[in-house]
Amino acid sequence: CVMCDLPGSLIKGKYTELSEPNFGGGVGEQSPFWKELVKSFQTLEEDFARFDINGDDMLEYTEITRGIPVNKAGYDRLDILSRLEFAFSQVDLDHSRSLDFFEFAYLSFMMTQNGAYNDLVANSSDSQTVKKCFMNIHTFYRKYDQDGNLRLTWDELQNFCQDLFKTQPANLEACFNAVKYQSSATP
């Protein structure tokens, strides 16, 4: 289990130093961080498909609770269910009590911030890689968010891609413009 003092985490203690990984070498899809992202998302997709019992590409709350480890009893299970209920309410914006894949990925990130991916998915094929990837995403996001407003500007995103992937995807600007959050805090 990979554990550390993660900024924003409520878990006390430090079990390993969280230092910037060495992602040198490789460009774009051949860069080590890109490969880590792909491997993690493959694991998330496998876990999502395993939960999606009825095959509708949506996870209902009851489907997700089936993934909680059965060996967790008493307080531990109650703690996990409590964190799950809170995180689920945060990512289920339409209050449908079901999540698509991207909402599931966000739920997984939230659960991992204050525990372990294994709290949500007992029999994941590579939970350690998912946890490590979420920690790296969070760490790099905070590093490149120079103004500390919890949103990456276009310049910050360009620096993120250039430093970690040694390139920018051709459609990066179009993707950024499609999803950027408009507020008084963003130019």
Side-chain angles (χ1 to χ4, degrees):
C1 180
V2 178
M3 295 190 72
C4 69
D5 184 20
L6 182 64
S9 176
L10 300 177
I11 296 176
K12 302 291 183 214
K14 184 180 285 193
Y15 300 91
T16 184
E17 284 296 320
L18 182 62
S19 58
E20 188 166 317
N22 180 6
F23 285 128
V27 174
E29 293 180 20
Q30 297 306 311
S31 68
F33 188 48
W34 188 289
K35 290 178 181 180
E36 179 182 297
L37 288 167
V38 168
K39 187 175 181 184
S40 296
F41 272 81
Q42 286 172 340
T43 300
L44 287 166
E45 288 170 346
E46 290 168 9
D47 294 339
F48 181 89
R50 207 171 57 248
F51 280 144
D52 187 18
I53 294 170
N54 64 4
D56 66 351
D57 293 327
M58 298 293 286
L59 296 182
E60 294 161 19
Y61 184 77
T62 55
E63 289 176 309
I64 293 174
T65 59
R66 290 184 187 125
I68 295 174
V70 294
N71 62 341
K72 301 281 186 177
Y75 177 77
D76 286 341
R77 186 166 179 80
L78 183 60
D79 177 58
I80 292 169
L81 287 169
S82 175
R83 288 188 296 115
L84 175 62
E85 181 68 29
F86 175 76
F88 194 97
S89 71
Q90 298 297 301
V91 301
D92 182 24
L93 298 178
D94 64 357
H95 307 290
S96 65
R97 300 293 287 169
S98 61
L99 306 177
D100 64 20
F101 171 76
F102 296 103
E103 290 169 322
F104 171 73
Y106 185 30
L107 174 78
S108 300
F109 172 74
M110 289 183 72
M111 291 294 290
T112 302
Q113 274 190 304
N114 297 315
Y117 185 65
N118 279 343
D119 289 346
L120 181 64
V121 185
N123 298 317
S124 179
S125 64
D126 201 357
S127 61
Q128 289 183 346
T129 298
V130 172
K131 171 82 175 187
K132 182 179 174 224
C133 185
F134 281 149
M135 289 174 19
N136 285 334
I137 289 169
H138 183 78
T139 300
F140 287 128
Y141 189 92
R142 303 222 3 148
K143 174 184 176 182
Y144 286 92
D145 179 23
Q146 294 295 304
D147 56 11
N149 70 349
L150 302 179
R151 295 175 189 91
L152 294 183
T153 64
W154 171 243
D155 292 338
E156 292 166 343
L157 182 61
Q158 285 180 303
N159 290 336
F160 178 97
C161 290
Q162 197 60 46
D163 289 353
L164 296 173
F165 306 126
K166 309 294 185 242
T167 189
Q168 295 180 162
N171 63 344
L172 183 64
E173 188 169 13
C175 290
F176 177 80
N177 288 330
V179 299
K180 72 181 178 181
Y181 177 76
Q182 294 296 322
S183 76
S184 59
T186 56

